[in-house]
Structures are given as C-alpha cells and as structure tokens.
Amino acid sequence: MLDFENLEQTRALAASLETCLRFSKCISSTMPTLVQLLSSSSATDVENTILLLMRCRQFQIDDSEASLRKMLPLAFSQDKPIRAAVEDAFITIYLTRNPTETAANLSSIAIESSIGDLAALEFIVGSLVSKGNISTSTKSKPSSKISDHDINCKETFA
C-alpha cells in the first residue's frame, strides 16, 4: 500500500526545490548588472550592491564570488562610505578567527586576481593590518607550516 502522505510531501519538496533553483538562476542572471552597479555614481547604489553580492555569495549563487571580487578596486574610491563598505565586506567574507584559514582565503584571492586587483588587495590588507583587523600571526606563518600552495602564492607575489 502506498503512503500518499509521504508522496505528497516529496512532491511538495520537489516543487519547492524547483522554485529555489529557478530563483537562484534568475538572481545569477543579474550578476552582470550588479557588477555595473558597482560603478554607479551613487554611493548608496554601490553599498547596497556590495551587500546584495555578499548575500548572493552566502547562498552560493553562481558567479557571485567573481562578481564580488570586482569590488576590490573600490578600495581606492574617494567616497569614504564606499571604502568602508569594501573593507567591511572584505572582513566579513575573507577574515576568520583562524589565521591559517585567513591566510588561505587571502592566497586564494591573490591567485585569481589581476595586477590591478592585487594592488587593491595590498591596499586593503595594509589598511586592515594598520587597524589591527589582521593579526601578526596571519602575516607570518611558521615556515614548518608552509605548504606547496603557499610557495606558489609567494611566487605569484614575487
């Protein structure tokens, strides 16, 4: 005998997941527009776009990580609220309480960055170090813990 209650629950779950997938694809299709909004002359547009991209990354929306990295050059913005939004997003996304994990996150960004993005990354990290957001244990890992990945990252910066 079939259990119709479980069948209905399964169908409802499948319908819900299909709706979530359609929504995710819809949001993903807006990434080029969101990247354009990062260049808006309105600081509020830029700040809200950064927040939306952070949420998209949190929910693993396709292309959100790459789109969010487009904010790095905004670290050089003349608008203090935009610079603050970039730093806040950077802290939220890439810095953790674990210095090794933070170093790995920063290395990952550096590996996939252009020269301009690397300059922005250096500027952001320098600012965060001077403010105490990045500890000295993150800046200098003991050599016994340096992995092949870290060596490749050092070659990237060399």
Side-chain angles (χ1 to χ4, degrees):
M1 183 173 201
L2 289 175
D3 185 356
F4 289 106
E5 186 175 315
N6 282 340
L7 182 60
E8 287 302 314
Q9 287 176 343
T10 302
R11 285 183 179 161
L13 178 61
S16 177
L17 291 173
E18 286 174 359
T19 301
C20 289
L21 181 60
R22 282 193 308 273
F23 180 75
S24 175
K25 286 181 179 181
C26 179
I27 295 295
S28 179
S29 72
T30 68
M31 289 302 142
T33 304
L34 294 175
V35 168
Q36 287 179 341
L37 280 171
L38 288 173
S39 301
S40 174
S41 59
S42 166
T44 304
D45 287 351
V46 175
E47 292 172 64
N48 288 327
T49 300
I50 290 171
L51 291 173
L52 179 56
L53 286 170
M54 288 174 58
R55 282 290 171 240
C56 290
R57 182 186 179 274
Q58 178 184 359
F59 290 102
Q60 301 175 356
I61 302 293
D62 290 343
D63 300 327
S64 61
E65 180 76 31
S67 297
L68 194 56
R69 287 179 190 219
K70 303 286 185 186
M71 76 171 180
L72 290 176
L74 294 174
F76 299 120
S77 174
Q78 297 300 314
D79 288 326
K80 189 173 182 175
I82 292 175
R83 284 195 317 268
V86 171
E87 280 191 8
D88 290 344
F90 195 86
I91 290 167
T92 301
I93 295 168
Y94 301 111
L95 303 187
T96 67
R97 289 192 173 147
N98 180 335
T100 303
E101 188 178 338
T102 296
N105 290 342
L106 297 176
S107 296
S108 173
I109 298 168
I111 288 170
E112 298 173 11
S113 293
S114 66
I115 297 296
D117 289 345
L118 286 174
L121 179 62
E122 180 180 14
F123 182 80
I124 294 168
V125 169
S127 174
L128 296 177
V129 167
S130 69
K131 292 177 183 177
N133 293 91
I134 297 178
S135 69
T136 55
S137 60
T138 303
K139 293 187 295 185
S140 58
K141 289 171 56 175
S143 60
S144 62
K145 293 186 178 183
I146 294 177
S147 67
D148 290 337
H149 176 74
D150 295 324
I151 292 169
N152 291 336
C153 292
K154 285 181 181 179
E155 291 170 359
T156 301
F157 287 114

